[in-house]
Amino acid sequence: SYSFCTLLRTMRSVVRSLGRCRQLKQVRWEGGESMEDQIKAAYMDTSSVSFGKDRELTQLQFSIDNNTPGSLFDVLLPFKNAGINLSSLTTRQCPDINNLKAITVFVDIEGNIENPEIKGAVEKAKSIAVHCQVINSCTIPWYATEISHVDLFNRGTMAAGEDLSSDHPGFNDPEYRARRDYIAATGKSYKHGMKVPTVSYTKDEIATWGKVWDRLMELYPTHACKEYQYNFSLMVENCGYRPDNIPNLEDISSYLKYRTGFSIRPVTGLLTPRNFLNALAFRVFHSTQYVS
């Protein structure tokens, strides 16, 4: 099925990642680079295509005297005066500091510590707070924060057909590649909230599906867990799974939405692992519609 093909691709990504981890371990002992630099280098090729602006973030931790009214306001005032926005603030009780009833405050501010205005505000906060330190200052790559942002992921896929490896059976078959491109293009204009375009599959594609179906039906009783077999029977009953019929994504997505809250949307090609997992945060599973 479509999800099986996507699962295989995801597993290949995991295997590649494990290989990078082994390389990472070697570099750590042989090269002496920082762990942060090693991770950036090892995972550079799995990064997301940039669809928006990256975020600069600085995280602070400071302690204030809980017995002094307005102490939190006093510490945050330098940031307000400098026009610096706070995106998160949490508090924790902490042990007494110099016999003071102190509270520890964790703050995320927008911007990098190298910014002169931020650096100046932090220095003023240090002079006011009982204790103040910069925990981290970093760049956060763009990621989807709304489900509509998932529409952008299609821009970052490998072009349909161009992601075929040379050992793929259809690599040198122009008819297959043209058909694959055509089916992938039907989902290219898909946007969140639309119905998934219906694909009319050919007799050859249905025949291929049927052969795979027959083989899987032989394997399921001995190789598939009871949970999978139970849910597969529901898919057969509700989504049109048959040896002589390839179900369309809209039927599958509607049923899954009703049962689980997850939905399926078409994608033109292979997503980066980062974008694939980002979509799962919104209960969206990407799937191609062509028969690989």
Side-chain angles (χ1 to χ4, degrees):
S1 67
Y2 313 109
S3 57
F4 179 70
C5 295
T6 307
L7 176 61
L8 287 178
R9 291 168 179 160
T10 304
M11 291 174 65
R12 285 198 293 267
S13 297
V14 172
V15 171
R16 287 196 296 267
S17 297
L18 291 174
R20 294 189 190 95
C21 288
R22 287 193 292 270
Q23 297 172 2
L24 188 63
K25 184 176 181 180
Q26 294 175 355
V27 172
R28 182 180 182 182
W29 292 106
E30 296 172 5
E33 295 92 340
S34 69
M35 180 62 71
E36 181 179 0
D37 290 339
Q38 295 170 44
I39 293 176
K40 286 181 179 179
Y43 290 90
M44 185 66 70
D45 62 336
T46 66
S47 62
S48 172
V49 176
S50 179
F51 303 118
K53 292 183 178 180
D54 295 341
R55 291 176 54 211
E56 296 290 338
L57 184 71
T58 297
Q59 298 172 304
L60 304 176
Q61 173 189 347
F62 55 83
S63 299
I64 58 175
D65 181 2
N66 196 32
N67 292 323
T68 302
S71 57
L72 178 59
F73 174 84
D74 292 339
V75 174
L76 297 181
L77 186 59
F79 298 97
K80 177 181 183 301
N81 293 337
I84 300 169
N85 189 45
L86 275 64
S87 58
S88 174
L89 186 150
T90 57
T91 61
R92 298 286 188 275
Q93 294 288 342
C94 67
D96 295 349
I97 301 176
N98 298 328
N99 296 322
L100 295 175
K101 295 292 183 180
I103 289 181
T104 296
V105 182
F106 297 91
V107 174
D108 292 347
I109 61 176
E110 296 179 359
N112 193 281
I113 190 61
E114 297 304 320
N115 181 307
E117 293 182 345
I118 294 179
K119 185 177 292 186
V122 169
E123 291 302 318
K124 291 180 180 178
K126 286 182 177 180
S127 66
I128 300 171
V130 176
H131 169 75
C132 180
Q133 66 176 2
V134 177
I135 301 176
N136 188 29
S137 190
C138 60
T139 300
I140 301 177
W142 180 91
Y143 60 91
T145 56
E146 300 177 11
I147 194 169
S148 60
H149 294 166
V150 178
D151 292 339
L152 301 172
F153 290 171
N154 251 339
R155 300 180 188 176
T157 61
M158 301 176 70
E162 293 181 7
D163 58 332
L164 292 179
S165 58
S166 59
D167 60 349
H168 190 284
F171 183 76
N172 294 314
D173 185 343
E175 183 178 351
Y176 167 80
R177 296 184 72 129
R179 174 64 174 166
R180 180 181 168 114
D181 291 348
Y182 170 78
I183 293 177
T186 62
K188 193 170 186 178
S189 60
Y190 177 85
K191 296 291 186 293
H192 170 67
M194 296 171 58
K195 286 190 174 182
V196 180
T198 299
V199 176
S200 297
Y201 293 100
T202 65
K203 291 182 178 179
D204 288 341
E205 289 167 340
I206 295 175
T208 300
W209 167 273
K211 289 180 180 179
V212 174
W213 174 284
D214 291 341
R215 180 56 178 153
L216 289 177
M217 291 305 104
E218 296 174 3
L219 297 174
Y220 281 166
T222 55
H223 290 71
C225 65
K226 62 181 181 180
E227 291 83 4
Y228 181 91
Q229 295 188 51
Y230 170 73
N231 284 284
F232 182 74
S233 67
L234 295 178
M235 301 290 280
V236 171
E237 181 180 350
N238 294 279
C239 303
Y241 274 77
R242 301 193 310 270
D244 61 346
N245 180 69
I246 302 177
N248 272 284
L249 290 191
E250 178 61 30
D251 296 330
I252 302 172
S253 182
S254 296
Y255 180 68
L256 289 180
K257 185 77 172 179
Y258 166 73
R259 291 279 299 184
T260 68
F262 272 81
S263 61
I264 298 181
R265 61 173 293 155
V267 65
T268 58
L270 184 63
L271 288 175
T272 64
R274 187 171 186 269
N275 285 345
F276 181 80
L277 294 174
N278 195 174
L280 290 182
F282 298 97
R283 296 191 171 189
V284 173
F285 190 97
H286 282 81
S287 173
T288 56
Q289 293 177 282
Y290 43 78
V291 180
S292 298

